[in-house]
């Protein structure tokens, strides 16, 4: 393992019982290419954490600054399916992160060697949680170290080994986002990489360099993506929403087949290995893993739309029963038409008021997204006039609720999920519907 100059090997510095910041290390629970992981306890607050101690990152070096930037945005990620960052720091020449401790195991350890119908169902449920986490990251807004707002975080290394499953098996947690400024080192020739870090790391021997060039040593590539999950452009140093979409497809492929994702390009389709995989699900994987980024899904929301269309399939009455129950506080059986006004008119004037209210409370982007969706519904060739009226009234209700001082997030989620599950399956509306998703509670 290459180590930073002045940073002694981790095992010689930290062990069970060692103090690290405000934490006391318990047993070692993992070893990777860039360091080790301990289960630990906060000495004052007494909560449990997973402490990842890095071999390479020291405080006053370029890569240490990248580590700080990574900790900055990770601390602002708040999603039920993303591992939380509690703390970070530097100790005795090593950087560390204190992460949420997950009492469970990584996804790769529970993928069965023989596929079953039940596992296929469970895998699909896990994957929808993963989609929610990645969509949230791609659309989140956070403050950088200069206090400026930045939108969107790319994971860069989605794979089963970076996904935790809770001990009860109910929930999934995505971990190990790539360190942002280190991503720019991707695709550089090893000599350039070595030159860049020359002041900070021991030089590689000719033999070591040749081995790395030939085999893309995982000990380095763990920080920049993992070869068998990476799309072609990531080998050239390009990371984007589209690279995450590829690795999402690769991860789902492995979940459903227990095969290397690269087997897909050898003609091993999921249905060939797992007879319980429906054709539409196979097409999701194939589309996500297209070698050409432009041929993949445009966004994670598009994949979610496909899952809603084929798995959830909520009826109109069911959707609006839930909405009415939230609005009225009573369990009343209603029809979709009950959501329109008594005169059967489309409240365009009401919608303009909704837009104005959203603008007044500082949500102009949400207002614009709803306006685009409303316009798409109005001109759609695939929706009857009666259904247009119903959909626009729900759009109005979503906007009204979102503009309140204390919006009911549960109600917003129910209305949004219900409406979008219908609209995202309509060809001339799907894109406009997808643009609304980032503004709704997850």
């Amino acid at each position: 393992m290459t180590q930073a100059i002045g940073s002694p090997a981790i095992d010689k510095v930290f062990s069970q019982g060692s103090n690290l910041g405000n934490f006391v290390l318990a047993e070692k629970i993992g070893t990777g290419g860039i360091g080790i992981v301990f289960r630990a306890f906060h000495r004052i607050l007494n909560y449990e954490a997973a402490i990842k101690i890095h071999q390479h990152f020291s405080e006053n070096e370029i890569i240490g600054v990248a580590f700080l930037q990574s900790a900055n945005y990770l601390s602002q990620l708040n999603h039920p399916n993303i591992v939380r960052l509690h703390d970070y720091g530097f100790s005795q020449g090593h950087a560390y992160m204190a992460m949420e401790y997950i009492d469970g195991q990584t996804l790769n350890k529970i993928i069965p060697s023989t596929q079953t119908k039940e596992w296929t169902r469970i895998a699909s449920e896990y994957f929808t949680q993963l989609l929610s986490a990645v969509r949230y990251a791609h659309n989140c807004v956070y403050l950088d170290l200069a206090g400026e707002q930045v939108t969107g975080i790319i994971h860069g290394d989605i794979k089963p080994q970076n996904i935790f499953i809770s001990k009860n098996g109910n929930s999934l947690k995505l971990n190990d986002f790539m360190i942002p400024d280190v991503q720019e080192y991707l695709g550089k020739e090893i000599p350039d990489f070595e030159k860049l870090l020359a002041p900070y790391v021991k030089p590689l021997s000719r033999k070591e360099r040749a081995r790395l060039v030939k085999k893309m040593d995982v000990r380095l590539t763990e920080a920049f993506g993992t070869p068998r999950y990476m799309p072609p452009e990531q080998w050239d140093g390009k990371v984007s929403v589209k690279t995450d979409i590829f690795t999402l497809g690769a991860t789902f492929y492995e979940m459903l087949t227990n095969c290397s994702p690269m087997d897909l390009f050898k003609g091993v389709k999921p249905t060939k290995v797992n007879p319980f995989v429906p054709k539409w699900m196979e097409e999701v994987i194939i589309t996500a893993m297209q070698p050409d980024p432009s041929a993949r899904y445009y966004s994670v929301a598009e994949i979610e739309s496909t899952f809603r269309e084929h798995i959830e399939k909520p009826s109109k009455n069911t959707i609006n029963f839930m909405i009415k129950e939230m609005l009225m506080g009573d369990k009343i059986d209603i029809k979709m038409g009950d959501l329109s006004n008594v005169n059967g008119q489309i409240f365009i004037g009401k919608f303009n008021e909704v837009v104005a209210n959203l603008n007044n409370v500082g949500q102009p982007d949400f207002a614009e997204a709803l306006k685009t969706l409303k316009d798409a519904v109005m001109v759609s060739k695939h929706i009857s006039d009666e259904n247009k009226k119903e959909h626009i009234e729900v759009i109005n209700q979503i906007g009204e609720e979102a503009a309140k001082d204390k919006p009911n997030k549960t109600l917003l989620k129910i209305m949004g999920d219900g409406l979008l599950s219908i609209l995202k399956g309509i060809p001339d509306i799907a894109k406009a519907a997808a643009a609304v998703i980032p503004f709704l509670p997850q």
Side-chain angles (χ1 to χ4, degrees):
M1 178 184 293
T2 304
Q3 70 181 64
I5 289 179
S7 297
I10 298 175
D11 289 333
K12 295 181 179 179
V13 179
F14 303 105
S15 59
Q16 184 174 351
S18 297
N19 290 327
L20 183 65
N22 283 320
F23 296 91
V24 178
L25 303 182
E27 78 270 19
K28 185 166 65 175
I29 57 176
T31 302
I34 59 174
I36 56 178
V37 182
F38 280 89
R39 185 170 66 90
F41 295 89
H42 196 283
R43 290 186 294 171
I44 301 172
L45 303 179
N46 200 34
Y47 65 80
E48 200 168 13
I51 306 290
K52 180 185 296 184
I53 308 174
H54 294 268
Q55 177 67 60
H56 305 289
F57 302 171
S58 52
E59 188 168 5
N60 299 315
E61 299 167 356
I62 292 174
I63 205 162
V65 174
F67 175 73
L68 170 60
Q69 292 174 325
S70 177
N72 174 66
Y73 79 67
L74 285 174
S75 69
Q76 297 177 65
L77 286 174
N78 185 13
H79 188 279
N81 300 119
I82 295 177
V83 174
R84 293 297 306 272
L85 172 69
H86 294 312
D87 196 7
Y88 94 103
F90 299 87
S91 178
Q92 302 186 62
H94 297 279
Y96 68 89
M97 285 183 173
M99 313 293 293
E100 173 186 4
Y101 177 74
I102 308 299
D103 187 10
Q105 53 190 330
T106 52
L107 176 60
N108 62 298
K109 294 180 180 178
I110 68 170
I111 298 174
S113 55
T114 301
Q115 305 299 312
T116 64
K117 184 176 182 180
E118 177 63 10
W119 168 252
T120 301
R121 180 191 66 79
I122 293 172
S124 299
E125 291 180 358
Y126 285 151
F127 191 63
T128 57
Q129 293 182 39
L130 179 60
L131 291 174
S132 177
V134 178
R135 171 171 53 81
Y136 165 83
H138 286 178
N139 294 281
C140 72
V141 178
Y142 67 98
L143 297 178
D144 65 15
L145 294 177
E148 300 292 330
Q149 283 194 346
V150 181
T151 300
I153 294 171
I154 306 303
H155 185 282
D157 194 19
I158 299 170
K159 58 183 178 180
Q161 295 88 336
N162 285 340
I163 297 167
F164 286 97
I165 304 299
S166 62
K167 191 173 183 179
N168 62 16
N170 292 334
S171 63
L172 166 152
K173 295 270 189 178
L174 179 60
N175 192 29
D176 281 341
F177 280 72
M178 289 175 67
I179 295 174
D181 282 11
V182 179
Q183 292 179 12
E184 68 186 52
Y185 305 156
L186 260 166
K188 293 182 180 293
E189 295 295 327
I190 292 298
D192 290 340
F193 179 86
E194 200 172 320
K195 180 179 179 181
L196 182 65
L197 297 181
Y200 317 114
V201 301
K202 291 181 179 179
L204 299 174
S205 68
R206 181 176 299 179
K207 183 178 180 180
E208 287 174 326
R209 184 187 301 112
R211 179 172 58 83
L212 289 172
V213 170
K214 183 178 180 181
K215 296 186 177 181
M216 293 297 292
D217 190 335
V218 174
R219 288 181 298 183
L220 282 178
T221 59
E222 273 189 354
F224 314 132
T226 303
R228 68 181 177 138
Y229 300 94
M230 286 162 50
E233 73 273 15
Q234 192 166 356
W235 290 85
D236 295 327
K238 299 174 183 176
V239 289
S240 67
V241 167
K242 294 296 188 76
T243 55
D244 274 358
I245 287 173
F246 183 98
T247 53
L248 279 169
T251 296
F252 199 33
Y253 177 92
E254 185 168 327
M255 291 169 68
L256 295 176
T257 64
N258 196 35
C259 297
S260 167
M262 295 301 104
D263 287 352
L264 179 65
F265 302 107
K266 300 176 184 178
V268 183
K269 293 184 177 181
T271 51
K272 187 175 181 179
V273 179
N274 184 347
F276 303 105
V277 175
K279 190 66 177 177
W280 69 265
M281 202 175 284
E282 178 174 88
E283 288 302 316
V284 166
I285 293 171
I286 291 173
T287 302
M289 292 183 67
Q290 286 295 308
D292 179 0
S294 65
R296 296 175 207 151
Y297 290 102
Y298 177 76
S299 67
V300 175
E302 284 192 82
I303 307 177
E304 288 182 304
S305 175
T306 302
F307 271 77
R308 286 195 185 98
E309 179 184 352
H310 288 91
I311 293 180
E312 295 179 7
K313 293 185 178 178
S315 68
K316 295 177 182 178
N317 287 346
T318 299
I319 294 165
N320 291 280
F321 171 83
M322 295 169 71
I323 297 173
K324 195 71 169 182
E325 184 176 328
M326 290 297 299
L327 289 171
M328 304 296 293
D330 297 311
K331 296 183 177 180
I332 303 172
D333 188 15
I334 63 169
K335 294 182 179 180
M336 188 71 171
D338 291 336
L339 291 180
S340 59
N341 64 308
V342 292
N343 296 319
Q345 300 296 316
I346 298 177
F347 283 150
I348 299 303
K350 181 179 179 180
F351 180 79
N352 292 337
E353 181 181 336
V354 167
V355 169
N357 289 339
L358 286 171
N359 284 329
N360 289 337
V361 297
Q363 299 191 62
D365 292 339
F366 192 10
E368 184 62 29
L370 287 179
K371 181 178 183 299
T372 301
L373 180 58
K374 184 265 295 181
D375 292 343
V377 169
M378 289 288 292
V379 301
S380 175
K381 300 177 181 179
H382 302 281
I383 305 178
S384 68
D385 289 342
E386 183 64 23
N387 284 340
K388 287 179 181 180
K389 174 176 58 181
E390 296 162 352
H391 295 332
I392 290 175
E393 179 59 19
V394 178
I395 292 172
N396 284 343
Q397 291 175 349
I398 290 172
E400 284 183 323
E401 189 63 36
K404 291 180 179 178
D405 290 338
K406 295 182 178 180
N408 185 326
K409 292 184 178 181
T410 303
L411 176 57
L412 275 176
K413 179 172 175 57
I414 289 174
M415 290 192 293
D417 287 352
L419 180 67
L420 297 180
S421 66
I422 295 172
L423 298 184
K424 290 204 71 182
I426 301 174
D428 54 3
I429 296 181
K431 187 174 182 180
V436 173
I437 290 177
F439 301 99
L440 297 172
Q442 304 304 313

